[in-house]
Amino acid sequence: MSAEELLRLVEAEGLIAAPAPLVVMLSGGRDSVCMLDLAARAREAGAVSALHVNYGLRPEADADERFCAELCERLEVPLDVVRARRPEGPGNLQAWARDERYAAAARLAAARGEAARILTGHTADDQVETILYRLASSPSRRALLGMRPREGRLVRPLLGSGRAETTAYCEERGLGWRDDASNVEGEYKRNLVRRELVPALEKIHPAAKENVLRTAALLREEAALLESLVDAELGAGGGRTITQERFAELHPALRRLVLQRLADEAAGRPVPGAARFAEQVAALRRGPASSLDLGRGVRAVAERGVLRAERPYI
Protein backbone atom coordinates (compact mmCIF):
# COMPACT_ATOMS: atom_id res chain seq x y z
CA MET A 1 0.00 0.00 0.00
CA SER A 2 1.40 3.37 -1.02
CA ALA A 3 1.43 6.45 1.18
CA GLU A 4 -1.35 8.00 -0.91
CA GLU A 5 -3.48 4.87 -0.59
CA LEU A 6 -3.09 4.83 3.19
CA LEU A 7 -4.04 8.51 3.34
CA ARG A 8 -7.19 7.89 1.31
CA LEU A 9 -8.06 4.89 3.47
CA VAL A 10 -7.74 6.85 6.71
CA GLU A 11 -9.67 9.81 5.30
CA ALA A 12 -12.48 7.49 4.15
CA GLU A 13 -12.98 6.24 7.72
CA GLY A 14 -14.08 9.73 8.76
CA LEU A 15 -12.34 9.59 12.15
CA ILE A 16 -10.12 12.60 11.45
CA ALA A 17 -12.60 14.64 9.45
CA ALA A 18 -13.25 18.34 9.99
CA PRO A 19 -14.21 20.24 12.03
CA ALA A 20 -12.94 18.30 15.06
CA PRO A 21 -9.53 19.52 16.33
CA LEU A 22 -7.03 16.65 16.58
CA VAL A 23 -4.48 15.88 19.31
CA VAL A 24 -2.00 13.23 18.16
CA MET A 25 -0.22 11.19 20.82
CA LEU A 26 3.36 11.18 19.54
CA SER A 27 5.90 8.79 21.05
CA GLY A 28 8.33 9.08 18.16
CA GLY A 29 7.79 5.48 17.04
CA ARG A 30 6.92 4.72 13.44
CA ASP A 31 3.18 4.26 14.08
CA SER A 32 2.69 7.59 15.84
CA VAL A 33 4.93 9.37 13.30
CA CYS A 34 2.80 7.93 10.51
CA MET A 35 -0.39 9.01 12.29
CA LEU A 36 0.85 12.55 12.81
CA ASP A 37 1.89 12.99 9.19
CA LEU A 38 -1.43 11.58 7.95
CA ALA A 39 -3.38 13.95 10.19
CA ALA A 40 -1.29 16.94 9.14
CA ARG A 41 -1.82 16.12 5.46
CA ALA A 42 -5.54 15.48 5.83
CA ARG A 43 -6.43 18.62 7.76
CA GLU A 44 -5.96 22.34 7.47
CA ALA A 45 -3.28 24.28 9.31
CA GLY A 46 -4.02 24.71 12.98
CA ALA A 47 -6.37 21.74 13.23
CA VAL A 48 -3.69 19.32 14.42
CA SER A 49 -1.45 19.40 17.48
CA ALA A 50 0.76 16.76 19.08
CA LEU A 51 1.56 15.54 22.58
CA HIS A 52 4.80 13.89 23.67
CA VAL A 53 5.28 12.55 27.20
CA ASN A 54 8.87 12.28 28.42
CA TYR A 55 8.93 9.88 31.38
CA GLY A 56 12.69 10.21 31.87
CA LEU A 57 12.96 6.47 32.39
CA ARG A 58 15.40 5.62 29.59
CA PRO A 59 18.73 7.15 28.56
CA GLU A 60 17.18 7.90 25.17
CA ALA A 61 14.19 9.79 26.57
CA ASP A 62 15.53 13.29 25.92
CA ALA A 63 16.66 12.32 22.43
CA ASP A 64 13.14 11.03 21.74
CA GLU A 65 11.75 14.38 22.86
CA ARG A 66 14.13 16.29 20.59
CA PHE A 67 13.19 14.09 17.66
CA CYS A 68 9.49 14.77 18.22
CA ALA A 69 10.13 18.51 18.48
CA GLU A 70 12.09 18.52 15.21
CA LEU A 71 9.44 16.45 13.45
CA CYS A 72 6.64 18.76 14.57
CA GLU A 73 8.62 21.80 13.47
CA ARG A 74 9.10 20.21 10.07
CA LEU A 75 5.37 19.41 9.77
CA GLU A 76 4.38 22.81 11.23
CA VAL A 77 2.38 21.16 14.02
CA PRO A 78 2.35 22.61 17.56
CA LEU A 79 3.82 20.24 20.15
CA ASP A 80 3.06 20.00 23.86
CA VAL A 81 5.64 18.15 25.95
CA VAL A 82 4.81 16.75 29.37
CA ARG A 83 7.71 15.64 31.56
CA ALA A 84 6.24 13.10 33.91
CA ARG A 85 8.04 11.71 36.92
CA ARG A 86 7.04 8.44 38.41
CA PRO A 87 6.08 8.65 42.08
CA GLU A 88 8.21 6.68 44.48
CA GLY A 89 7.10 3.29 45.68
CA PRO A 90 5.96 0.05 44.06
CA GLY A 91 3.52 -0.10 41.20
CA ASN A 92 2.96 -1.12 37.61
CA LEU A 93 5.31 1.03 35.54
CA GLN A 94 3.52 0.53 32.24
CA ALA A 95 0.12 1.25 33.80
CA TRP A 96 1.45 4.45 35.37
CA ALA A 97 2.91 5.62 32.05
CA ARG A 98 -0.32 4.83 30.22
CA ASP A 99 -2.39 6.74 32.77
CA GLU A 100 -0.04 9.73 32.57
CA ARG A 101 -0.17 10.08 28.80
CA TYR A 102 -3.91 9.57 28.47
CA ALA A 103 -4.61 12.05 31.26
CA ALA A 104 -2.36 14.61 29.58
CA ALA A 105 -4.05 13.99 26.21
CA ALA A 106 -7.49 14.36 27.78
CA ARG A 107 -6.50 17.73 29.28
CA LEU A 108 -5.21 19.02 25.95
CA ALA A 109 -8.27 17.80 24.06
CA ALA A 110 -10.62 19.38 26.60
CA ALA A 111 -8.81 22.69 26.18
CA ARG A 112 -9.46 22.52 22.43
CA GLY A 113 -13.20 22.08 22.79
CA GLU A 114 -15.87 19.44 23.17
CA ALA A 115 -15.41 18.14 19.62
CA ALA A 116 -11.64 17.61 19.90
CA ARG A 117 -10.36 14.08 19.34
CA ILE A 118 -7.31 12.22 20.60
CA LEU A 119 -5.48 10.16 17.97
CA THR A 120 -3.27 7.18 18.68
CA GLY A 121 -1.12 5.16 16.30
CA HIS A 122 -2.51 1.77 17.31
CA THR A 123 -2.35 -0.67 14.41
CA ALA A 124 -3.81 -4.06 13.57
CA ASP A 125 -0.70 -5.65 15.10
CA ASP A 126 -1.42 -3.84 18.37
CA GLN A 127 -4.98 -5.08 18.15
CA VAL A 128 -3.88 -8.71 17.89
CA GLU A 129 -1.48 -8.32 20.81
CA THR A 130 -4.14 -6.61 22.91
CA ILE A 131 -6.70 -9.35 22.30
CA LEU A 132 -4.24 -12.13 23.11
CA TYR A 133 -3.01 -10.37 26.24
CA ARG A 134 -6.53 -9.70 27.51
CA LEU A 135 -7.64 -13.23 26.68
CA ALA A 136 -4.82 -14.62 28.80
CA SER A 137 -5.25 -12.20 31.70
CA SER A 138 -8.94 -11.26 31.80
CA PRO A 139 -11.62 -13.96 31.47
CA SER A 140 -14.42 -11.96 29.87
CA ARG A 141 -16.22 -11.46 26.58
CA ARG A 142 -14.87 -7.92 26.43
CA ALA A 143 -11.33 -9.28 26.19
CA LEU A 144 -12.10 -10.76 22.77
CA LEU A 145 -13.56 -7.55 21.33
CA GLY A 146 -10.24 -5.73 21.23
CA MET A 147 -9.86 -1.97 20.87
CA ARG A 148 -12.60 0.01 19.19
CA PRO A 149 -11.84 2.50 16.40
CA ARG A 150 -13.53 5.16 18.52
CA GLU A 151 -14.14 5.39 22.26
CA GLY A 152 -15.42 8.81 23.21
CA ARG A 153 -12.74 11.35 22.29
CA LEU A 154 -10.19 8.62 21.60
CA VAL A 155 -9.86 7.44 17.99
CA ARG A 156 -7.59 4.88 16.37
CA PRO A 157 -7.55 5.50 12.60
CA LEU A 158 -4.80 2.92 11.91
CA LEU A 159 -6.48 -0.16 13.42
CA GLY A 160 -7.15 -1.46 9.92
CA SER A 161 -3.47 -1.23 8.93
CA GLY A 162 -0.41 -3.07 10.17
CA ARG A 163 3.10 -2.10 11.17
CA ALA A 164 4.30 -3.06 7.72
CA GLU A 165 2.06 -0.35 6.25
CA THR A 166 3.14 2.34 8.72
CA THR A 167 6.79 1.44 8.14
CA ALA A 168 6.37 1.63 4.36
CA TYR A 169 4.52 4.94 4.71
CA CYS A 170 7.30 6.53 6.76
CA GLU A 171 9.96 5.26 4.38
CA GLU A 172 8.12 6.55 1.32
CA ARG A 173 7.55 9.94 2.96
CA GLY A 174 11.15 10.20 4.14
CA LEU A 175 10.14 10.26 7.81
CA GLY A 176 12.45 8.91 10.47
CA TRP A 177 11.32 7.39 13.74
CA ARG A 178 12.65 6.30 17.10
CA ASP A 179 12.76 2.64 18.12
CA ASP A 180 12.08 1.91 21.79
CA ALA A 181 13.97 -1.25 22.70
CA SER A 182 11.79 -1.72 25.77
CA ASN A 183 8.87 -2.56 23.47
CA VAL A 184 10.47 -5.87 22.52
CA GLU A 185 12.97 -6.56 25.27
CA GLY A 186 12.55 -7.27 28.94
CA GLU A 187 9.90 -9.31 30.67
CA TYR A 188 6.87 -7.04 30.43
CA LYS A 189 3.92 -9.30 29.72
CA ARG A 190 2.82 -7.36 26.65
CA ASN A 191 6.33 -7.70 25.25
CA LEU A 192 6.18 -11.46 25.75
CA VAL A 193 3.01 -11.56 23.67
CA ARG A 194 4.72 -9.65 20.85
CA ARG A 195 8.04 -11.44 21.02
CA GLU A 196 6.98 -15.01 21.71
CA LEU A 197 3.25 -15.70 21.54
CA VAL A 198 2.41 -14.10 18.19
CA PRO A 199 5.36 -15.75 16.36
CA ALA A 200 4.39 -19.10 17.92
CA LEU A 201 0.81 -18.76 16.64
CA GLU A 202 2.09 -17.86 13.17
CA LYS A 203 4.08 -21.10 13.19
CA ILE A 204 0.84 -22.95 13.86
CA HIS A 205 -0.94 -21.10 11.04
CA PRO A 206 0.50 -18.35 8.82
CA ALA A 207 -2.81 -16.46 8.91
CA ALA A 208 -3.04 -16.52 12.71
CA LYS A 209 -3.09 -12.73 13.10
CA GLU A 210 -5.68 -12.27 10.38
CA ASN A 211 -7.86 -14.95 11.98
CA VAL A 212 -7.68 -13.24 15.38
CA LEU A 213 -8.70 -9.93 13.80
CA ARG A 214 -11.54 -11.50 11.84
CA THR A 215 -12.86 -13.26 14.93
CA ALA A 216 -12.79 -10.01 16.90
CA ALA A 217 -14.66 -8.20 14.11
CA LEU A 218 -17.39 -10.85 14.10
CA LEU A 219 -17.70 -10.71 17.87
CA ARG A 220 -18.00 -6.91 17.80
CA GLU A 221 -20.91 -7.24 15.38
CA GLU A 222 -22.58 -9.73 17.70
CA ALA A 223 -21.80 -7.49 20.68
CA ALA A 224 -23.85 -4.72 19.07
CA LEU A 225 -26.85 -7.06 19.07
CA LEU A 226 -26.27 -8.00 22.69
CA GLU A 227 -25.99 -4.33 23.67
CA SER A 228 -29.39 -3.69 22.07
CA LEU A 229 -30.88 -6.39 24.33
CA VAL A 230 -29.36 -4.68 27.35
CA ASP A 231 -30.75 -1.34 26.12
CA ALA A 232 -34.22 -2.89 25.96
CA GLU A 233 -34.01 -4.14 29.55
CA LEU A 234 -32.70 -0.90 31.02
CA GLY A 235 -34.78 1.48 28.93
CA ALA A 236 -37.61 1.69 31.45
CA GLY A 237 -35.18 2.63 34.22
CA GLY A 238 -33.49 5.37 32.25
CA GLY A 239 -30.49 3.08 31.76
CA ARG A 240 -29.59 3.08 35.45
CA THR A 241 -32.02 0.71 37.19
CA ILE A 242 -33.98 -2.51 36.76
CA THR A 243 -36.49 -4.20 39.03
CA GLN A 244 -35.12 -7.08 41.09
CA GLU A 245 -37.92 -9.28 39.83
CA ARG A 246 -37.06 -8.67 36.19
CA PHE A 247 -33.32 -9.02 36.85
CA ALA A 248 -33.90 -12.46 38.39
CA GLU A 249 -35.99 -13.53 35.39
CA LEU A 250 -33.30 -12.75 32.82
CA HIS A 251 -31.30 -15.42 31.05
CA PRO A 252 -28.02 -15.81 33.00
CA ALA A 253 -25.98 -14.43 30.09
CA LEU A 254 -28.20 -11.35 29.74
CA ARG A 255 -28.19 -10.92 33.52
CA ARG A 256 -24.41 -10.67 33.46
CA LEU A 257 -24.48 -8.12 30.64
CA VAL A 258 -27.06 -5.96 32.41
CA LEU A 259 -25.07 -5.96 35.65
CA GLN A 260 -21.88 -5.10 33.78
CA ARG A 261 -23.61 -2.14 32.11
CA LEU A 262 -24.97 -0.89 35.43
CA ALA A 263 -21.52 -1.10 37.01
CA ASP A 264 -19.77 0.58 34.09
CA GLU A 265 -22.30 3.43 34.02
CA ALA A 266 -21.94 3.98 37.75
CA ALA A 267 -18.14 4.10 37.54
CA GLY A 268 -17.95 6.07 34.33
CA ARG A 269 -15.49 3.49 33.01
CA PRO A 270 -15.24 -0.30 32.68
CA VAL A 271 -15.42 -2.28 35.92
CA PRO A 272 -13.61 -5.52 35.03
CA GLY A 273 -15.24 -8.64 36.42
CA ALA A 274 -18.46 -7.04 37.68
CA ALA A 275 -20.54 -9.48 35.65
CA ARG A 276 -19.31 -12.47 37.64
CA PHE A 277 -21.38 -11.30 40.63
CA ALA A 278 -24.67 -11.53 38.71
CA GLU A 279 -26.01 -14.56 40.57
CA GLN A 280 -25.14 -13.09 43.95
CA VAL A 281 -26.80 -9.81 43.02
CA ALA A 282 -29.92 -11.66 41.88
CA ALA A 283 -30.05 -13.25 45.33
CA LEU A 284 -29.98 -9.94 47.24
CA ARG A 285 -32.92 -9.71 49.60
CA ARG A 286 -35.87 -7.57 48.71
CA GLY A 287 -37.28 -4.86 50.92
CA PRO A 288 -34.79 -2.79 52.95
CA ALA A 289 -31.60 -1.82 51.16
CA SER A 290 -28.96 -4.49 50.66
CA SER A 291 -25.77 -4.24 48.65
CA LEU A 292 -22.81 -6.13 47.19
CA ASP A 293 -19.36 -4.85 46.24
CA LEU A 294 -18.65 -5.18 42.50
CA GLY A 295 -15.07 -3.84 42.54
CA ARG A 296 -13.47 -0.52 41.57
CA GLY A 297 -15.45 1.28 44.28
CA VAL A 298 -18.82 0.28 42.76
CA ARG A 299 -21.54 -1.63 44.54
CA ALA A 300 -24.89 -3.10 43.53
CA VAL A 301 -27.75 -1.82 45.68
CA ALA A 302 -31.17 -3.44 45.95
CA GLU A 303 -33.79 -1.24 47.57
CA ARG A 304 -37.58 -1.54 47.55
CA GLY A 305 -37.49 -4.01 44.71
CA VAL A 306 -35.25 -1.90 42.45
CA LEU A 307 -31.65 -2.71 41.56
CA ARG A 308 -29.04 -0.08 40.79
CA ALA A 309 -25.27 0.33 40.88
CA GLU A 310 -23.57 3.23 42.59
CA ARG A 311 -20.17 4.56 43.49
CA PRO A 312 -20.70 5.85 47.01
CA TYR A 313 -17.20 7.18 47.65
CA ILE A 314 -16.16 9.62 44.93
Side-chain angles (χ1 to χ4, degrees):
M1 181 184 298
S2 70
E4 289 301 320
E5 289 171 331
L6 184 56
L7 176 60
R8 288 195 296 270
L9 178 64
V10 169
E11 287 180 318
E13 292 172 344
L15 294 174
I16 61 175
L22 307 177
V23 177
V24 181
M25 299 177 71
L26 180 65
S27 67
R30 72 194 73 189
D31 299 335
S32 66
V33 168
C34 174
M35 186 69 261
L36 179 63
D37 190 63
L38 285 166
R41 294 176 66 196
R43 294 293 303 277
E44 67 281 3
V48 181
S49 63
L51 166 69
H52 177 75
V53 180
N54 183 341
Y55 307 102
L57 298 174
R58 301 180 297 108
E60 303 88 355
D62 289 341
D64 291 345
E65 179 184 325
R66 288 193 298 273
F67 168 81
C68 290
E70 292 168 0
L71 174 66
C72 288
E73 183 177 4
R74 170 183 170 183
L75 298 180
E76 299 182 339
V77 171
L79 173 67
D80 284 275
V81 175
V82 172
R83 295 181 179 87
R85 291 296 177 264
R86 183 188 182 186
E88 295 183 3
N92 186 313
L93 181 60
Q94 288 189 318
W96 167 79
R98 181 178 62 248
D99 291 345
E100 284 289 320
R101 63 178 174 268
Y102 280 106
R107 290 192 297 269
L108 287 176
R112 301 203 64 188
E114 293 184 4
R117 297 178 184 177
I118 300 168
L119 274 59
T120 76
H122 288 124
T123 66
D125 294 87
D126 295 306
Q127 181 78 292
V128 171
E129 292 160 10
T130 295
I131 292 169
L132 294 175
Y133 173 77
R134 290 178 179 174
L135 179 61
S137 60
S138 176
S140 69
R141 179 180 62 91
R142 179 179 290 159
L144 293 171
L145 301 181
M147 297 178 285
R148 298 177 184 274
R150 182 172 184 181
E151 297 180 76
R153 287 187 185 274
L154 183 65
V155 295
R156 303 178 176 98
L158 293 174
L159 275 186
S161 306
R163 288 193 192 107
E165 283 77 24
T166 62
T167 300
Y169 179 95
C170 290
E171 290 176 342
E172 183 178 336
R173 293 279 297 163
L175 300 169
W177 63 80
R178 300 283 295 177
D179 284 321
D180 182 352
S182 68
N183 285 332
V184 292
E185 297 175 353
E187 294 305 313
Y188 290 124
K189 294 175 183 178
R190 290 294 294 266
N191 293 351
L192 291 174
V193 172
R194 177 178 296 186
R195 189 176 68 236
E196 299 182 14
L197 181 55
V198 172
L201 290 175
E202 290 181 313
K203 288 181 180 179
I204 295 172
H205 196 290
K209 290 197 294 188
E210 289 77 9
N211 290 337
V212 170
L213 292 171
R214 178 58 179 158
T215 299
L218 292 172
L219 290 174
R220 282 193 295 273
E221 288 183 1
E222 294 169 5
L225 173 61
L226 293 174
E227 290 299 314
S228 70
L229 297 178
V230 175
D231 290 340
E233 293 299 333
L234 294 177
R240 299 283 183 164
T241 64
I242 186 172
T243 66
Q244 287 183 267
E245 181 179 6
R246 178 56 183 163
F247 186 76
E249 292 172 349
L250 296 178
H251 185 283
L254 184 53
R255 193 182 301 145
R256 291 192 297 271
L257 293 173
V258 167
L259 181 60
Q260 187 67 57
R261 170 79 70 81
L262 290 173
D264 292 348
E265 290 289 331
R269 58 180 178 143
V271 181
R276 71 178 184 273
F277 297 105
E279 298 307 311
Q280 293 169 261
V281 171
L284 288 173
R285 69 178 183 274
R286 301 181 187 184
S290 56
S291 64
L292 182 72
D293 183 20
L294 302 177
R296 295 289 177 93
V298 176
R299 67 184 181 186
V301 178
E303 187 174 16
R304 297 185 178 87
V306 176
L307 177 67
R308 68 180 187 275
E310 63 180 31
R311 192 178 178 191
Y313 308 111
I314 299 178

